[in-house]
């Protein structure tokens, strides 16, 4: 499939996805970058998020609520296809977010990244249940374009 055809297919597959009212469940997260990501994305359509914002908050994709993830994903995919090298900071987080985690909860906790204050990061955001919750809301047409995007 040509790049332009894939972009059109992504836009078509995700056109009816409803924009979420919340993007990130900040709950106990006290990280300025994640809070900024929430502020930048909340209330915007995926078409309104600039490549600069997508690159700056690329790791924020892992903190999006499942509905927000499904809504903003086509923006990331289209940007990567349209801008190639200019979208380098977001490529790895986006690709990782599309792959099913292979570690179980206990192994992931043992291998989680800890910040200076000892806060465990990534343990819930790369979880198999969270991944499955995201996938449960993906339509067959969306699944097909995601597969095509990954190839």
């Amino acid at each position: 499939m040509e790049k332009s055809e894939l972009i059109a297919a992504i836009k078509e597959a995700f056109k009816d996805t409803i924009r979420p009212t919340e993007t990130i469940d900040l709950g106990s997260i006290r990280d300025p970058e994640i809070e900024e990501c929430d502020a930048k994305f909340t209330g915007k359509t995926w078409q309104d998020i600039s490549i600069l914002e997508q690159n700056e908050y690329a790791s924020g994709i892992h903190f999006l609520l499942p509905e927000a993830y499904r809504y903003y994903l086509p923006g990331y995919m289209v940007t990567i296809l349209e801008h190639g090298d200019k979208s380098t900071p977001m490529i790895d987080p986006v690709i990782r977010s599309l792959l099913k985690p292979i570690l179980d909860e206990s192994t992931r906790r043992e291998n989680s990244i800890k910040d200076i204050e000892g806060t465990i990061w990534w343990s819930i955001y790369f979880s198999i249940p969270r991944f499955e919750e995201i996938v449960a809301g993906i339509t067959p047409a969306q699944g097909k374009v995601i597969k095509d995007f990954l190839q």
Side-chain angles (χ1 to χ4, degrees):
M1 180 180 295
E2 294 290 323
K3 181 169 49 171
S4 60
E5 293 173 319
L6 181 53
I7 291 169
I10 290 168
K11 290 178 179 180
E12 178 65 23
F14 284 89
K15 72 178 183 184
D16 296 327
T17 306
I18 298 168
R19 184 174 67 198
T21 54
E22 292 182 88
T23 55
I24 296 173
D25 178 9
L26 294 172
S28 62
I29 298 173
R30 295 293 173 252
D31 180 276
E33 183 179 343
I34 301 304
E35 290 172 355
E36 284 178 37
C37 178
D38 183 55
K40 291 285 184 184
F41 282 46
T42 299
K44 287 188 176 180
T45 66
W46 65 261
Q47 297 92 334
D48 292 336
I49 308 294
S50 71
I51 184 172
L52 177 64
E53 291 168 323
Q54 286 175 323
N55 278 329
E56 187 173 355
Y57 303 106
S59 62
I61 194 167
H62 297 292
F63 295 93
L64 294 173
L65 291 166
E67 309 79 39
Y69 178 91
R70 289 188 295 268
Y71 179 77
Y72 291 106
L73 178 61
Y76 281 103
M77 293 191 304
V78 167
T79 299
I80 289 168
L81 291 168
E82 288 180 339
H83 298 284
D85 288 346
K86 292 180 184 175
S87 61
T88 299
M90 77 180 80
I91 293 172
D92 185 54
V94 170
I95 299 299
R96 274 190 286 128
S97 76
L98 291 168
L99 303 175
K100 185 173 183 174
I102 57 171
L103 300 175
D104 65 20
E105 189 67 30
S106 61
T107 307
R108 198 171 43 261
R109 287 197 183 279
E110 292 168 15
N111 295 304
S112 295
I113 299 168
K114 293 187 179 183
D115 68 15
I116 352 177
E117 297 167 353
T119 304
I120 297 176
W121 292 101
W122 312 117
S123 59
I124 60 169
Y125 299 103
F126 290 103
S127 70
I128 292 170
R130 182 177 183 280
F131 180 84
E132 290 171 347
E133 186 179 355
I134 289 169
V135 171
I138 297 286
T139 68
Q142 291 167 347
K144 181 184 181 323
V145 296
I146 290 169
K147 181 180 176 186
D148 292 343
F149 171 79
L150 289 171
Q151 295 175 344

